Amino acid sequence: MIKITKMTCNYKQDFIGLDSHPYFSWNYEGDLKGFQQGSYQIIVSDSNLDIVFDSGDVFSEEFINIKYTGKTLHPRTRYYWKVLVKEKNGNFIESDVTFFETGKLTEKWEAKWITAGNVKRPDQYTHSPYLRKTFSLDEQVKEARLYITGLGYFEAYVNGVKTDDTLLSPAFTNYDKTILYSTCDVTDSLIKGTNVIAAILGNGWYNCFTADAWNIREASWRHLPKMIAELHIVTESGKKIMIPTDITWKSIDSPVTFNSIRNGEYYNANLEIENWNTASCDDSSWDSVKTIRRPGGLLTSSEIEPIRVTKTLSPVKFWKTPENSWVFDLGQNIAGFVKLYACGQKNDEITIVYNEKLMDDGISLNRKWNSGFTRSGEFQTDKYTKRSDDVEIWSPRFTYHGFQYIELIGLSVEPDINTVKACVVHTDIKRRGTLKTSDETINKIIELSHWSTVSNFHGMLTDSPHREKNAWTGDASVSSEQTMFNYITVLEFKKWLHDIKDAQKPSGCIPCVVPSTGWGYNWGNGPDWSSALTLIPWYLYTYYGDIEILEEMYETIKKHFSYMESMAEDNIINYGIGDWCAPFDGPALSVNMSSFKAPTELTDTAYYYNAADTISKMAKVLGKKQDVRYYEQQAKIIRKAFRAKFFNRRKMTVKGNCQTSTGCMVYQGLAKEDEKESLTNLLIKQIHEKDDHLDFGILGNKYVMNTLGSENQFKHGIKMLTQKTYPGFGNIIELGATTLWETWNGTGSYNHHMFSDVVASLYKYAGGIRPDENEPGFKHIIMQPNVDCGLEKVNCTFLSVRGTIVSNWSNKAGKLTMEIDIPYGCHATLTLPVAYINLFKNHVTVTDNDFFKVSLDSGHYQIK
């Protein structure tokens, strides 16, 4: 029996709060042998069962990203949809009915922005206010939705029940342009009689008063914490009631006496107000709130996954320091905060300091590590004041930290190992890929990449969870493929691309960190880092088959290319950062981190060419023929200029004479087909010259591993990755790393994801799963496992938009076995060395001296 499954609207099942245009997808399960989708019919109806969209019988084999083309959708409305599929043999399959629910769309907000009644200036407002509204209902509630946001952060409650399990909402945006709101189903929290809706506000990035290197406290949007909300209720009799934020709300200071995203949070439990968010609390002495000017940005629904506590870790050991503080070691570097079981006496102030490094004595916490860019207040420090002699449980609300070690200062009684636990906090991105090999060093690299990625996913992909918390464009660009292999991140990247769109100057220039307060437009935003704007939409199209993101970002991308053209001299560009953090000696200072061998003008011009080439392909997909011609011609011109300036064909050398330069030439498509073998051999020679160690920074990390894999020389990459001496991934593992490091010598941050693309290369060339941009969304799978790479076994699975792809193989002493799953709607081309051609007998489609290709339709394959 065949069943329609995984029915999604804009990549989510049962989506509540949809403001974007709907697109529908589904998968199939069951005995699919011989199954062929002949046509589909999508039917969408409202709650009255009135049909708003009937696609009719569409003769197509497609089942992902089907665009809604029905009637105009109404705000705050639930719509039900199903799919009828006709097989080519005439049989019919009908799906279950599922739903999506719109948000406010373009509906006017009747509510007012409000703030606490006792606030005056942002500089004076370092604490958090409580806000609440009491109202009565004379009927039972049939349905209720709360549309709400608070800047910088908020938590909301209805009758004492938290409206959801999220943290640190809303995600950071340029608040002058875009503000995200949440949609919460609060039907079950409301009662007939007296009700209370309440909230607590945090400063977040909106009122970030901490001095830092990026001037965020001078942000144009900065103002008092504020909130807007509408509670829409439908009673059992059908009566509609709306409770907005307005002047009738009440406010008072909360026990959160200080909160800063860059410093930490202080909480005085003596100031707690019992049942502050329920009807039993007397708020007659509370202040009336103030209505306040709007932040400026347009309100739009937050469609990304929220931030949550995804795991709780216990310390593996703890000890007392000479300073009479206590240090707890988690054994794992994370982003998050403590869950404190505060022991001691009433009025004890317990200080909690977080960091990822100890002092050289291995006992005391290095409190200053990574703190240099936080220029006012304490760094990664929370404080809790007890209200009793009993054990009290507390976690901060409006901050997070990056750490492996927790220091407790001010305890009046001796703690035990259960005095603290650590809450792992990040955007709750779901896994879609798994990869495990026979080599434990490779497996550890994959694990380090995972922890670095989730530690840095907080509504956007930041560089570090402690020192900066900035979303650097270059870091996201080089890591984006890895995240797309490992996690479902399409909506998160779409959100961040719109942040880039908001940040773009009229000239086309974008900053190197996004969102930006104005910093980063005059440094660090060359073609290398800014490649995120062009490449990530193309990756989303390639990995998800998502044309919508190309349509939305195309003009923004073109405008940025025009800016690059204005910066070029004789078609050469030189204003980027370059191959940042190649191996160096000494401290992590810019002068050392930029002491790489590959010329910046080389890598910049290569990205300039890549942008022209990628935009020409986008234009082709979007049917923009004139643009295709223009960008193809620009790509040819830039390629010619690059080759003339940086490549010596007679000597077969690339300027810089290093792994990054050579890898760049091949990876970026600047080498001709008959040059690739010689350049790959040069790259291998350069690796051997470094005793099979790496000699690249974050750009070369992508170039070198992908070049080795695509040219079927991945064994040299595997050998390089597993070296246990400096510099390399294996070496930082030997030194105790539990996340990827910023620098190979360990003098920078211990939690950076910027070298994580190595895991994407493992998916592509060890696992052997790669998308084909000509048949996106893994409709055609390029399977190129380098089965002679030195690994004995690889198990790789990947949940594509069309279904789960499996590529498992074992190769011991030249005896190859494989297990492959190709989901329905996909086909694959498998490339293997000719030594294994006998496994396939008459199925070989293409062969040359060294490799052969086999075409595989959807199905399960056991190859021995």
Side-chain angles (χ1 to χ4, degrees):
M1 180 179 177
I2 299 172
K3 188 175 181 180
I4 295 171
T5 62
K6 296 185 178 68
M7 296 173 63
T8 61
C9 176
N10 294 27
Y11 305 100
K12 285 189 175 184
Q13 294 176 300
D14 301 338
F15 202 149
I16 294 179
L18 180 71
D19 273 358
S20 56
H21 194 95
Y23 286 78
F24 305 109
S25 300
W26 61 90
N27 284 177
Y28 292 100
E29 288 182 3
D31 183 5
L32 297 170
K33 188 175 181 179
F35 170 75
Q36 288 182 295
Q37 176 182 299
S39 65
Y40 67 80
Q41 181 182 11
I42 299 173
I43 299 173
V44 182
S45 60
D46 61 20
S47 56
N48 296 320
L49 301 183
D50 292 330
I51 294 175
V52 297
F53 174 52
D54 185 341
S55 68
D57 215 16
V58 179
F59 293 91
S60 169
E61 296 180 349
E62 192 56 272
F63 52 91
I64 65 165
N65 296 322
I66 311 297
K67 187 175 183 178
Y68 173 87
T69 56
K71 296 178 182 178
T72 300
L73 298 174
H74 297 295
R76 298 181 292 101
T77 302
R78 177 168 290 194
Y79 292 93
Y80 299 89
W81 69 283
K82 67 177 182 179
V83 184
L84 300 169
V85 171
K86 185 177 181 181
E87 298 183 53
K88 287 188 176 179
N89 65 11
N91 292 335
F92 284 90
I93 308 171
E94 183 173 348
S95 75
D96 294 334
V97 176
T98 186
F99 72 88
F100 66 91
E101 189 173 299
T102 55
K104 292 276 291 179
L105 297 177
T106 58
E107 180 184 52
K108 180 182 178 181
W109 286 72
E110 299 297 330
K112 305 294 184 185
W113 284 91
I114 60 172
T115 191
N118 64 346
V119 301
K120 293 182 180 179
R121 292 184 11 231
D123 283 337
Q124 297 174 334
Y125 210 80
T126 59
H127 54 289
S128 289
Y130 284 151
L131 300 96
R132 59 179 266 151
K133 164 76 175 179
T134 304
F135 61 96
S136 293
L137 296 173
D138 55 12
E139 293 183 48
Q140 296 293 342
V141 173
K142 178 182 178 183
E143 182 179 275
R145 298 288 183 272
L146 176 64
Y147 305 91
I148 183 170
T149 194
L151 302 179
Y153 294 135
F154 77 94
E155 287 187 359
Y157 301 81
V158 173
N159 291 329
V161 178
K162 198 165 181 286
T163 55
D164 55 33
D165 61 351
T166 67
L167 298 167
L168 302 172
S169 292
F172 187 17
T173 56
N174 182 331
Y175 304 111
D176 288 338
K177 302 287 182 66
T178 302
I179 299 165
L180 302 179
Y181 71 86
S182 298
T183 302
C184 306
D185 183 349
V186 296
T187 305
D188 294 339
S189 298
L190 291 167
I191 61 172
K192 180 181 178 181
T194 304
N195 293 269
V196 168
I197 176 174
I200 179 172
L201 302 183
N203 290 301
W205 295 106
Y206 184 66
N207 184 32
C208 187
F209 47 79
T210 307
D212 63 20
W214 304 278
N215 210 29
I216 194 166
R217 68 177 180 179
E218 302 301 324
S220 58
W221 59 67
R222 189 181 163 206
H223 203 223
L224 301 168
K226 57 189 67 173
M227 175 180 127
I228 190 170
E230 290 182 359
L231 175 58
H232 288 262
I233 302 167
V234 179
T235 67
E236 287 289 358
S237 68
K239 185 164 89 173
K240 295 181 179 180
I241 300 168
M242 196 267 282
I243 309 295
T245 45
D246 58 22
I247 200 67
T248 65
W249 283 56
K250 297 289 193 74
S251 67
I252 199 170
D253 288 344
S254 79
V256 179
T257 59
F258 176 93
N259 71 97
S260 167
I261 191 65
R262 290 219 179 276
N263 301 124
E265 182 171 316
Y266 305 165
Y267 187 94
N268 188 341
N270 292 305
L271 303 178
E272 289 180 348
I273 301 170
E274 189 174 0
N275 298 321
W276 69 275
N277 50 14
T278 71
S280 63
C281 176
D282 180 5
D283 63 8
S284 59
S285 63
W286 290 31
D287 297 323
S288 294
V289 299
K290 296 176 181 177
T291 56
I292 195 166
R293 55 176 56 89
R294 295 178 292 179
L298 296 176
L299 284 160
T300 187
S301 179
S302 179
E303 298 182 357
I304 65 175
E305 288 297 324
I307 294 172
R308 292 187 175 98
V309 174
T310 62
K311 185 177 291 189
T312 301
L313 301 181
S314 297
V316 295
K317 57 184 175 179
F318 76 113
W319 60 86
K320 191 175 184 179
T321 71
E323 297 84 16
N324 291 319
S325 64
W326 295 85
V327 173
F328 296 76
D329 180 3
L330 299 174
Q332 176 62 56
N333 204 339
I334 68 166
F337 44 66
V338 300
K339 186 174 186 179
L340 174 67
Y341 294 80
C343 52
Q345 301 172 354
K346 177 180 171 62
N347 294 324
D348 281 356
E349 183 183 78
I350 302 169
T351 299
I352 307 130
V353 184
Y354 307 77
N355 218 307
E356 61 182 9
K357 184 176 173 65
L358 299 175
M359 299 296 287
D360 291 341
D361 62 9
I363 298 173
S364 300
L365 188 71
N366 189 333
R367 300 175 190 169
K368 297 296 183 183
W369 183 256
N370 287 323
S371 67
F373 292 142
T374 298
R375 296 174 178 171
S376 67
E378 297 178 87
F379 179 65
Q380 294 211 132
T381 301
D382 298 333
K383 295 181 180 180
Y384 180 79
T385 303
K386 293 184 85 267
R387 70 176 183 273
S388 72
D389 295 339
D390 299 328
V391 175
E392 298 164 13
I393 303 173
W394 176 79
S395 292
R397 280 183 168 101
F398 298 128
T399 192
Y400 72 94
H401 309 287
F403 61 102
Q404 178 175 335
Y405 304 98
I406 302 162
E407 182 179 22
L408 298 186
I409 304 167
L411 291 176
S412 60
V413 298
E414 186 169 314
D416 61 33
I417 201 164
N418 296 312
T419 298
V420 295
K421 295 190 183 301
C423 299
V424 178
V425 176
H426 57 84
T427 299
D428 193 10
I429 49 178
K430 303 298 190 293
R431 290 300 296 249
R432 71 186 304 210
T434 62
L435 180 61
K436 189 172 183 179
T437 79
S438 55
D439 188 282
E440 285 309 309
T441 300
I442 297 295
N443 294 339
K444 190 67 175 178
I445 293 170
I446 295 166
E447 182 184 345
L448 266 58
S449 171
H450 164 71
W451 279 106
S452 290
T453 302
V454 297
S455 294
N456 283 291
F457 231 120
H458 290 263
M460 56 194 179
L461 196 52
T462 65
D463 67 321
S464 58
H466 34 53
R467 189 182 70 201
E468 300 186 36
K469 300 179 179 174
N470 284 322
W472 285 82
T473 51
D475 296 39
S477 179
V478 294
S479 290
S480 55
E481 282 193 279
Q482 174 270 127
T483 65
M484 291 181 198
F485 269 117
N486 278 308
Y487 316 96
I488 301 173
T489 53
V490 57
L491 296 177
E492 288 70 30
F493 276 122
K494 282 188 168 188
K495 175 264 179 194
W496 189 63
L497 287 167
H498 287 117
D499 292 339
I500 296 178
K501 195 173 188 177
D502 284 347
Q504 188 173 49
K505 297 284 191 183
S507 66
C509 174
I510 64 171
C512 57
V513 295
V514 178
S516 170
T517 62
W519 188 92
Y521 287 95
N522 296 306
W523 182 84
N525 61 337
D528 46 8
W529 262 234
S530 297
S531 65
L533 172 57
T534 304
L535 287 176
I536 293 178
W538 186 246
Y539 293 153
L540 290 174
Y541 169 72
T542 302
Y543 281 73
Y544 288 91
D546 194 314
I547 295 177
E548 182 195 32
I549 193 63
L550 300 185
E551 295 170 339
E552 290 178 0
M553 298 302 298
Y554 185 69
E555 293 302 323
T556 304
I557 294 165
K558 282 178 58 180
K559 189 186 289 188
H560 178 255
F561 187 84
S562 177
Y563 177 78
M564 287 193 289
E565 287 180 306
S566 74
M567 296 293 291
E569 294 184 15
D570 298 324
N571 299 297
I572 301 296
I573 284 184
N574 186 14
Y575 67 100
I577 291 178
D579 193 30
W580 190 250
C581 285
F584 62 83
D585 296 325
L589 302 173
S590 290
V591 65
N592 292 328
M593 298 162 98
S594 58
S595 60
F596 40 79
K597 297 170 184 173
T600 300
E601 60 179 351
L602 180 149
T603 53
D604 271 4
T605 305
Y607 272 111
Y608 183 34
Y609 163 77
N610 177 278
D613 183 56
T614 303
I615 298 171
S616 73
K617 291 185 285 191
M618 289 181 183
K620 197 171 294 184
V621 171
L622 298 175
K624 299 179 182 294
K625 295 180 180 180
Q626 188 172 342
D627 283 357
V628 172
R629 290 191 292 271
Y630 177 76
Y631 289 105
E632 283 182 345
Q633 181 62 25
Q634 289 303 104
K636 288 177 183 177
I637 293 169
I638 299 165
R639 191 172 190 250
K640 183 178 179 181
F642 178 97
R643 290 173 61 86
K645 188 171 181 67
F646 303 117
F647 178 53
N648 186 323
R649 180 178 168 89
R650 183 177 62 82
K651 295 182 178 180
M652 200 57 66
T653 57
V654 187
K655 189 174 181 181
N657 191 29
C658 61
Q659 295 172 14
T660 295
S661 292
T662 306
C664 177
M665 182 94 186
V666 179
Y667 174 76
Q668 296 282 40
L670 293 153
K672 294 179 180 178
E673 197 62 37
D674 65 349
E675 297 164 347
K676 287 183 180 180
E677 183 176 355
S678 295
L679 286 169
T680 302
N681 288 334
L682 172 61
L683 174 59
I684 294 168
K685 177 174 177 287
Q686 290 166 336
I687 293 170
H688 290 333
E689 287 170 352
K690 292 295 178 181
D691 295 323
D692 296 311
H693 285 69
L694 59 83
D695 190 32
F696 48 64
I698 69 169
L699 303 184
N701 181 58
K702 194 171 186 74
Y703 305 154
V704 172
M705 295 302 296
N706 277 278
T707 295
L708 293 172
S710 65
E711 297 305 305
N712 293 292
Q713 296 293 335
F714 206 53
K715 61 185 178 183
H716 300 286
I718 294 295
K719 187 174 183 179
M720 190 165 52
L721 295 182
T722 54
Q723 296 284 3
K724 291 181 168 54
T725 51
Y726 176 82
F729 291 95
N731 180 241
I732 69 169
I733 292 169
E734 288 292 298
L735 295 173
T738 62
T739 43
L740 294 177
W741 290 1
E742 179 184 25
T743 63
W744 299 113
N745 65 2
T747 58
S749 156
Y750 287 167
N751 199 342
H752 259 60
H753 63 86
M754 65 188 193
F755 283 105
S756 69
D757 186 71
V758 64
V759 177
S761 70
L762 288 166
Y763 271 96
K764 295 174 186 176
Y765 304 112
I769 297 175
R770 193 153 44 111
D772 181 352
E773 62 187 24
N774 296 309
E775 296 185 61
F778 290 87
K779 187 170 186 177
H780 178 230
I781 306 158
I782 301 172
M783 304 197 81
Q784 192 179 355
N786 282 214
V787 294
D788 291 330
C789 67
L791 299 172
E792 289 190 344
K793 188 176 182 179
V794 173
N795 288 339
C796 184
T797 65
F798 176 71
L799 177 61
S800 77
V801 287
R802 300 177 192 275
T804 300
I805 304 166
V806 176
S807 175
N808 298 335
W809 59 266
S810 173
N811 193 1
K812 296 181 180 180
K815 293 182 179 180
L816 178 66
T817 64
M818 304 187 77
E819 180 185 12
I820 296 173
D821 281 339
I822 309 297
Y824 173 76
C826 304
H827 65 110
T829 301
L830 175 65
T831 300
L832 290 172
V834 291
Y836 306 104
I837 198 168
N838 63 309
L839 292 172
F840 293 88
K841 298 180 180 177
N842 299 324
H843 298 284
V844 175
T845 54
V846 178
T847 184
D848 60 28
N849 292 331
D850 299 311
F851 297 92
F852 68 94
K853 296 181 187 292
V854 177
S855 294
L856 301 176
D857 293 326
S858 63
H860 177 75
Y861 298 85
Q862 292 272 5
I863 302 162
K864 296 182 180 181

